[in-house]
Amino acid sequence: MRHLFEIYRAQLKVTTATQLQYRVALVIWMIGIVLEPVIYLVVWATVARSKGGDVGGYNARSFAAYFLVLMLVNHLTQTWVFFEFEMRIRQGTLSPLLLKPVHPVHADVAQNVTFKLLMLVVLVPVMVVLALVFRPVIHPQWWGLALFAPTVLLAGVLRFLVEWTLGLAGFWSTRVSALNQIYYVALLFFSGQVAPLSLFPHFFQVIASVLPFRWTVSYPVELLLGRLSGRDALLGLAAQAGWILLSLVLLRVIWRAGLRKYSAVGA
Amino acid sequence: MSFAFGPESIRVRDLRKVYRVHEREAGLLASVRSLVRRRWREIPAVDGITFSVAPGEVVGFLGPNGAGKTTTLKMLSGLLYPSSGELEVLGFVPWRREREFLRQIALVMGQRNQLAWDIPAIDSFELNRVIYRISRADFRRMLDELAELLELWPLLHKPIRNLSLGERMKCEIAAALLHQPKVLFLDEPTIGLDVTAQRRIRSFVAEYNRRYGATVLLTSHYMADVEALCRRVIVIHHGRLLYDGDLAGLVRSFSPHKLIEVEMEQGSPDLAGYGEVVSADEGRVTLRVPKHATAEVTARLLDEVPVTDLTVEDPPIEEVIEHVFSQEAR
């Protein structure tokens, strides 16, 4: 365990050094993560105003709150392992990773965490400016405030596990990018990135709650905004925990099967 | 051949690796058809090879492209699992990739980078130090030694992407050796490098082998690598083992020819009647003759031509190898 901690620390340093080499790329990426929610925010605020100030319980300022918190949660939970895996398997860069006496997932976790922390330094000031412009309001319960950080953490873990596992599809197919596209479109809608899930039809909400999507992004946002009952909040925690356990099992099983395949057909 | 004794480093028995590849003809219609019914073909990349390597031995793996060299190295290092046969490295079954096994081996591929592209080598080395659980003292000592031997000092703090191919390769090799692997697999370590860099890496590998008694298995297209490093060579072709023994023996058993160099007082008479004339200068003629006819031709030359000097030689190794590979595997 201590050894693993040391690996993480060393990997953290390497990733930081690497990321700082690409300041321009970081800025472009930043624009991406900020721009999308801001566009939805402007659209929905306009709709709310034209409908007399309210759409499904959201007015312009609560939409602002929704999309600003979403921006933060989306950043904190997102990964790019999906793209990486395809390249790794196709270009054979996975092989050297397999020959190291440590599971490759750890390097990914460390890189992911480092990147998020680094970017937070830029994202937070941007969010402050946006808050001054759009003047969001939230009405959280005390337990909503207390549960926000832990649920974001769980959401991050869950999303990482789900996307890492899906990335393993690269062991069987050289066209993972197609799967990737489908996944991202699904994520966009089902995780509440286009609009709060409560604005969608009921059956749509059921799908979002049965699949892991809602628990990876939307749920902590709803919690902080004070839109969940105590019972729903607890159910959410249970859903996160359940999906994390299931994903862990799936990751292990699929990873093993993938490696068998990889080492059968040529690495 | 080796002074070391005890259990072998590497034991391979009847090793096979068969790839199952999806066969498809060219053209749109064929691709559509292949969606419905896939045709598979089995290609044996390694087709039943047996050998063992003693600790501390340096063995050259020779064979043309596609002979099965890299596939064998990948099976030995644990990246591929064999279709059949037995395989043991340092007493481990490689494909299980146990940590204890991985900590004692290294695989360097000349055509693949392992070091992070954007950061200086020293940072990647530090990461390896932690991953392989190398103590700071050992790390310092090993780094000093590697940097000295490979002349790394000026390179360590530059981002890898700013290094030349040769410099990068030196860093790759250093990174792979920081944990002092007992078995080292080198797949084309000098590919694409200039002569100076090749020589540097060659002498380094020899030195590493001498200092640490590491077992080295090396593939290369450059005969110079093999000649400089390996007393023993294993030749494979079409996945089968053609030869296992020392270099001189390889020439003896595979070259059907000898070269006879004849020196004469003056002139260069036409000696085509004695054998194939390879070169003819003033006073010196080189002939290629079938091995079995060497004695007879030599006697005739001494008898019939005013010879001042005569030497019989084996053809250069490159030529022999080329000859071997141009034949179909038996």
Side-chain angles (χ1 to χ4, degrees):
Chain A
M1 201 61 206
R2 193 162 148 250
H3 179 225
L4 214 52
F5 177 73
E6 274 179 52
I7 291 178
Y8 272 69
R9 218 177 48 181
Q11 183 73 54
L12 227 76
K13 269 194 248 169
V14 168
T15 311
T16 311
T18 308
Q19 293 299 346
L20 291 179
Q21 301 250 336
Y22 288 103
R23 276 160 291 202
V24 177
L26 288 184
V27 170
I28 293 172
W29 192 85
M30 193 74 213
I31 293 171
I33 192 107
V34 169
L35 208 57
E36 205 176 288
V38 167
I39 291 171
Y40 292 131
L41 153 57
V42 171
V43 170
W44 282 109
T46 311
V47 173
R49 273 190 219 100
S50 72
K51 295 255 176 168
D54 194 291
V55 178
Y58 283 87
N59 61 27
R61 290 178 71 183
S62 45
F63 270 126
Y66 181 85
F67 284 107
L68 283 183
V69 178
L70 183 98
M71 190 186 293
L72 180 69
V73 174
N74 194 25
H75 165 68
L76 288 175
T77 57
Q78 94 165 295
T79 84
W80 52 96
V81 283
F82 226 136
F83 305 96
E84 291 237 331
F85 245 101
E86 190 180 7
M87 291 213 309
R88 269 179 207 168
I89 292 167
R90 216 193 273 182
Q91 299 173 358
T93 49
L94 183 63
S95 298
L97 299 180
L98 291 178
L99 290 184
K100 298 232 157 113
V102 60
H103 197 296
V105 77
H106 297 302
D108 284 344
V109 174
Q111 277 174 20
N112 197 273
V113 170
T114 318
F115 182 75
K116 284 168 184 169
L117 293 180
L118 270 181
M119 293 300 286
L120 214 50
V121 179
V122 196
L123 187 63
V124 169
V126 172
M127 285 183 61
V128 170
V129 173
L130 289 174
L132 289 174
V133 175
F134 292 104
R135 299 152 57 77
V137 279
I138 56 173
H139 307 285
Q141 297 87 347
W142 64 267
W143 44 265
L145 276 176
L147 279 178
F148 181 65
T151 52
V152 171
L153 184 69
L154 290 175
V157 172
L158 174 57
R159 191 162 163 190
F160 183 89
L161 292 174
V162 167
E163 293 181 8
W164 213 83
T165 309
L166 286 173
L168 299 180
F171 281 124
W172 289 270
S173 163
T174 48
R175 295 282 173 273
V176 180
S177 37
L179 180 64
N180 199 358
Q181 290 294 330
I182 297 171
Y183 172 78
Y184 273 100
V185 171
L187 187 77
L188 199 61
F189 288 94
F190 287 119
S191 73
Q193 296 194 42
V194 171
L197 290 173
S198 61
L199 300 192
F200 285 95
H202 181 69
F203 79 93
F204 189 94
Q205 292 182 43
V206 171
I207 295 174
S209 305
V210 170
L211 294 174
F213 296 108
R214 183 178 176 199
W215 316 114
T216 60
V217 185
S218 163
Y219 164 61
V221 183
E222 295 165 34
L223 194 67
L224 188 69
L225 260 64
R227 297 203 168 242
L228 295 180
S229 67
R231 184 176 158 273
D232 285 351
L234 284 177
L235 275 176
L237 268 180
Q240 282 190 320
W243 268 109
I244 285 175
L245 283 178
L246 184 63
S247 313
L248 265 176
V249 173
L250 283 176
L251 185 146
R252 284 186 75 91
V253 172
I254 297 177
W255 170 250
R256 292 230 179 103
L259 277 189
R260 263 202 301 281
K261 163 96 180 170
Y262 187 68
S263 52
V265 297
Chain B
M1 204 57 53
S2 166
F3 300 106
F5 49 88
E8 279 118 354
S9 268
I10 300 172
R11 243 163 28 90
V12 173
R13 236 188 67 196
D14 220 3
L15 186 68
R16 294 187 83 232
K17 178 74 202 178
V18 180
Y19 291 122
R20 209 162 151 251
V21 290
H22 172 203
E23 213 173 40
R24 204 172 76 185
E25 287 146 50
L28 185 64
L29 203 70
S31 353
V32 173
R33 206 180 308 136
S34 80
L35 276 178
V36 187
R37 173 183 276 162
R38 297 209 153 191
R39 279 199 301 174
W40 298 90
R41 199 155 58 102
E42 299 211 323
I43 297 179
V46 173
D47 202 4
I49 61 175
T50 300
F51 64 88
S52 61
V53 181
E57 249 189 307
V58 183
V59 177
F61 234 49
L62 298 178
N65 288 337
K69 290 172 298 183
T70 303
T71 300
T72 307
L73 281 197
K74 281 178 174 170
M75 284 194 276
L76 288 170
S77 58
L79 283 174
L80 284 176
Y81 74 71
S83 304
S84 67
E86 280 172 41
L87 182 59
E88 208 179 271
V89 176
L90 295 169
F92 292 92
V93 177
W95 60 261
R96 289 199 187 123
R97 283 199 301 274
E98 290 160 73
R99 299 220 166 119
E100 209 37 58
F101 167 69
L102 295 177
R103 255 184 231 125
Q104 298 182 59
I105 63 150
L107 167 68
V108 177
M109 299 198 193
Q111 317 205 57
R112 235 168 239 177
N113 294 310
Q114 307 185 27
L115 294 172
W117 192 241
D118 302 302
I119 55 171
I122 189 77
D123 291 352
S124 292
F125 289 0
E126 173 60 22
L127 187 58
N128 272 6
R129 182 189 77 74
V130 178
I131 289 175
Y132 284 97
R133 298 179 188 241
I134 308 166
S135 76
R136 276 186 202 282
D138 283 349
F139 178 74
R140 196 68 243 174
R141 192 180 47 72
M142 199 62 192
L143 181 64
D144 279 349
E145 218 175 298
L146 291 170
E148 205 62 53
L149 285 170
L150 287 165
E151 295 174 341
L152 290 182
W153 291 123
L155 313 177
L156 286 177
H157 294 275
K158 290 185 198 163
I160 294 293
R161 67 177 134 81
N162 293 349
L163 301 180
S164 73
L165 190 62
E167 293 171 333
R168 222 179 296 150
M169 201 57 219
K170 291 199 289 185
C171 291
E172 289 280 347
I173 290 182
L177 295 184
L178 282 167
H179 62 285
Q180 293 182 36
K182 288 192 189 134
V183 176
L184 178 58
F185 301 109
L186 297 170
D187 193 17
E188 305 279 353
T190 56
I191 199 158
L193 303 187
D194 65 36
V195 180
T196 324
Q198 284 185 20
R199 199 176 299 137
R200 159 79 44 205
I201 285 180
R202 226 173 270 152
S203 63
F204 170 78
V205 172
E207 183 61 28
Y208 181 79
N209 163 258
R210 199 167 59 235
R211 279 194 198 182
Y212 294 95
T215 309
V216 181
L217 220 68
L218 163 116
T219 76
S220 180
H221 278 117
Y222 302 111
M223 275 312 298
D225 283 350
V226 178
E227 275 180 274
L229 287 170
C230 316
R231 268 183 293 177
R232 175 178 166 198
V233 293
I234 291 176
V235 181
I236 55 174
H237 194 25
H238 296 304
R240 287 170 176 277
L241 200 138
L242 283 191
Y243 177 80
D244 181 353
D246 63 2
L247 261 179
L250 173 70
V251 175
R252 270 199 306 278
S253 37
F254 283 100
S255 175
H257 298 109
K258 287 266 184 186
L259 295 178
I260 303 180
E261 198 178 286
V262 188
E263 280 184 48
M264 287 146 293
E265 199 84 335
Q266 81 260 8
S268 50
D270 182 16
L271 299 182
Y274 296 93
E276 182 192 342
V277 179
V278 181
S279 71
D281 299 317
E282 179 65 22
R284 174 185 300 183
V285 178
T286 308
L287 296 170
R288 184 184 287 132
V289 297
K291 198 148 73 178
H292 59 84
T294 314
E296 180 235 313
V297 173
T298 310
R300 270 174 55 211
L301 280 165
L302 290 171
D303 204 33
E304 298 162 10
V305 182
V307 173
T308 56
D309 193 12
L310 183 147
T311 48
V312 179
E313 279 178 347
D314 284 317
I317 292 171
E318 267 99 346
E319 219 169 83
V320 179
I321 299 281
E322 210 175 292
H323 174 78
V324 174
F325 294 162
S326 63
Q327 294 177 327
E328 278 299 292
R330 295 157 299 176

